Amino acid sequence: MNFMIHANHLLVLFTLSTMLSMLWFLLSLLSLLLLPCLRPCFPAKGSLKNKKKIDKGTYVVGEEETPKELQRELMPRHVAVIMDGNRRWAKQTGLLTSQGYEAGAKRLLEFADLCFKLGINTVSAFAFSTENWGRHKIEVKCLMYLFQRYLKSKIQFFQSKEIRVSVIGNLAKIPESLLRTVHELEEATKSYKKKHLILAIDYSGRFDILGACKSIVKKSEQGLIREEDVDETLFERELQTKCTEFPSPDLLIRTSGEQRISNFFLWQLAYTELFFSPVLWPDFDKQKFIEALVSYQRRDRRFGSRL
Amino acid sequence: MAELPGQIRRMGGGISQLLEQIYGFSRRCLFRVISMGPTPCHIAFIMDGNRRYAKKRGLEDGSGHKAGFSALMSMLQYCYELGIKYVTIYAFSIDNFRRKPEEVESVMDLMLEKIKSLLEKESIVHQYGIRVYFIGNLALLNDQVRAAAEKVMKATAKNSRVVLLICIAYNSTDEIVQAVKKSCINKSDNIEASGNYKHEDRGSDIEGTDMENQEKKIQLVDIEENMQMSVAPNPDILIRSSGETRLSNFLLWQTGNTQLCSPAALWPEIGLRHLLWAILNFQRNHSYLEKRKKQL
């Protein structure tokens, strides 16, 4: 009898221990599955303090890694951007206009860096138009000072990332200090080939075409070219975008919802895909850029001929 | 009893005529309201999507372009009723010559037929007093089309109420190169004519080599004057149908500050609502653009 009771107890204990070990096994399996998901969620997205850390984490995905929505072979070679909306962003966030421009400059560097990581060779940005001289004098002065300070401070950054920087535009009216910094930056980065950042400062598409025209006139008078040789290919080589192997952007992005070219590249945009984003420039982050690239990769570029 | 179907048909015709008149009247009232705000002076259209329309509807090749022509006539009517003085259309690009020869030929035949129809008394040209320009490298067209185009330009030269610019065998880059060449020729003619220029310049404050002085002679206005599109002001709105958002080598020089619209509808499907939407957007941005123009 006792033996039976003992056996019974043993059986119960055995069953209980088996169930407990199974439960323990299940729990450990569950925790192995759940914890890796929980860990990255810890640094809250809304936290401003950690924002820089998070940005680095999401941008630095390795030189070769392409987001799953995109195809590497369909990446544009040259992306141009009209960085519109800095002042409106500053107003919305309750900051000064100069802080809006600073945020815009920072966004540009992040944008360019992201482009190069995705395999895009050339990035051009419309920093200052000839028409912008009509803005308030103090605002223009502040902008020129920002360009000079920012570019000077980033020379090492461009060198470390091996980014060639070119500045195109009239450059006749910009302050001496900025002109010196531009020359210094161009000189320091001229040997890099794979990544090219073109900044358009005091640039106008029409004046670019006029400049090419004048250059052709000069060359024809020097006997270097004949009038009958002047065609579209020759003309394109005289534009300010001659500094790059890909003068025509494949994609142009303009932020802040305005749907105009505003006298940025005119000739060069003949077959460029245009993308207008309602987002203000300082808010144009990686996700928004991927949306633009997805839209670009879906487009059927026919260049006037095939269906 | 045999008269009944005829009577029904006449009644049906009468009703549809009445409906058309009511629609036309309400449309004109709507236009009056819209015209109270700033109205664009010049609208340009890229008529994209005719072939896709034909494919979508299972029509034969070429029918898409015919449907596109009807859509164009409606658009022109709306524009002129709204008081828009200049309308430019991208009919045929130099790049389009690279399409299949049969397609190019059928498009050329259609254009010849439609260009000739412009000279008829009942055509829209006479209805609205349109002056027609054909802009492009007309030498690339076949003789018949070119001759018809020149005839229409000559016949409508005296009209001045509204203007229709038809870009045919046109590429903006080609237009710019031709304008640059013309400016250079004019400039060298001017230098030959004014042989005393160098002598006069010695007394002036402007210093510089002969080359620089000659360069200074070519200004933005010289190139602008020699553009074929200089007969019209820059477009206020550019509408490209079929949802594609690119310029395709159309009016690159002229659209620096133009508002760009790209409705998803294919060209034969384009309607009044797309035009109105573009104009309302134009009116929304107009005051800001005027302010910027004054700043310059």
Side-chain angles (χ1 to χ4, degrees), chain B residues 126-137:
Chain B
H126 293 283
Q127 197 184 347
Y128 291 100
I130 306 179
R131 180 164 186 182
V132 181
Y133 288 98
F134 285 90
I135 309 278
N137 199 343

Side-chain angles (χ1 to χ4, degrees), chain A residues 51 59 83-90 93 99-108 110 255-256 279-285:
Chain A
K51 196 165 186 190
Y59 285 160
M83 308 178 288
D84 201 6
N86 299 309
R87 291 185 297 175
R88 268 168 283 174
W89 181 87
T93 42
Q99 288 172 303
Y101 287 135
E102 289 237 20
K106 185 164 168 282
R107 178 58 70 193
L108 174 61
E110 289 167 351
T255 52
S256 90
V279 169
L280 302 173
W281 176 245
D283 290 330
F284 194 76
D285 58 12

Side-chain angles (χ1 to χ4, degrees), chain B residues 101-129:
Chain B
E102 315 84 66
E103 194 193 325
V104 173
E105 202 179 319
S106 98
V107 169
M108 285 294 145
D109 289 339
L110 177 69
M111 284 208 276
L112 180 63
E113 181 195 322
K114 298 304 177 190
I115 291 171
K116 282 184 174 164
S117 72
L118 289 177
L119 289 169
E120 283 158 23
K121 286 211 173 100
E122 312 84 39
S123 81
I124 198 170
V125 162
H126 293 283
Q127 197 184 347
Y128 291 100

Side-chain angles (χ1 to χ4, degrees), chain A residues 206 262 271 273-274 303-304, chain B residues 95-96 98 224 245-246 256:
Chain A
R206 284 196 177 185
S262 294
Y271 300 99
E273 295 292 334
L274 311 173
F303 299 94
Chain B
D95 296 321
N96 295 155
R98 290 183 302 186
E224 270 171 353
T245 324
R246 51 178 182 256

Side-chain angles (χ1 to χ4, degrees), chain A residues 46-201:
Chain A
S47 158
L48 280 168
K49 255 193 245 170
N50 294 329
K51 196 165 186 190
K52 257 191 179 163
K53 279 190 200 161
I54 293 168
D55 279 352
K56 275 192 186 155
T58 50
Y59 285 160
V60 180
V61 289
E63 207 79 356
E64 297 305 313
E65 199 169 321
T66 311
K68 58 175 164 29
E69 308 97 312
L70 300 172
Q71 291 171 271
R72 192 87 179 176
E73 58 276 11
L74 294 178
M75 282 295 179
R77 287 172 310 189
H78 179 171
V79 173
V81 69
I82 300 180
M83 308 178 288
D84 201 6
N86 299 309
R87 291 185 297 175
R88 268 168 283 174
W89 181 87
K91 207 173 178 183
Q92 259 178 29
T93 42
L95 298 169
L96 300 168
T97 310
S98 57
Q99 288 172 303
Y101 287 135
E102 289 237 20
K106 185 164 168 282
R107 178 58 70 193
L108 174 61
L109 288 189
E110 289 167 351
F111 176 82
D113 198 33
L114 175 60
C115 282
F116 298 136
K117 285 201 172 81
L118 289 174
I120 296 165
N121 178 283
T122 308
V123 175
S124 42
F126 202 12
F128 193 86
S129 157
T130 46
E131 287 155 17
N132 292 149
W133 288 113
R135 287 188 182 177
H136 208 267
K137 278 197 179 124
I138 298 172
E139 191 184 321
V140 171
K141 218 173 177 177
C142 156
L143 207 46
M144 290 292 144
Y145 176 66
L146 170 74
F147 287 148
Q148 197 256 311
R149 184 170 55 83
Y150 215 77
L151 290 177
K152 189 135 184 122
S153 69
K154 294 292 174 191
I155 294 180
Q156 272 187 337
F157 166 81
F158 290 125
Q159 282 180 316
S160 67
K161 296 267 182 177
E162 295 190 359
I163 299 172
R164 179 184 166 197
V165 180
S166 302
V167 175
I168 59 172
N170 192 12
L171 302 185
K173 288 192 201 166
I174 64 171
E176 270 292 320
S177 51
L178 175 57
L179 194 59
R180 273 198 302 272
T181 307
V182 161
H183 288 317
E184 197 184 325
L185 180 56
E186 283 182 328
E187 197 56 39
T189 57
K190 68 180 180 190
S191 58
Y192 307 126
K193 300 259 187 280
K194 285 195 185 159
K195 306 172 193 174
H196 197 173
L197 174 64
I198 301 174
L199 297 171
I201 299 179

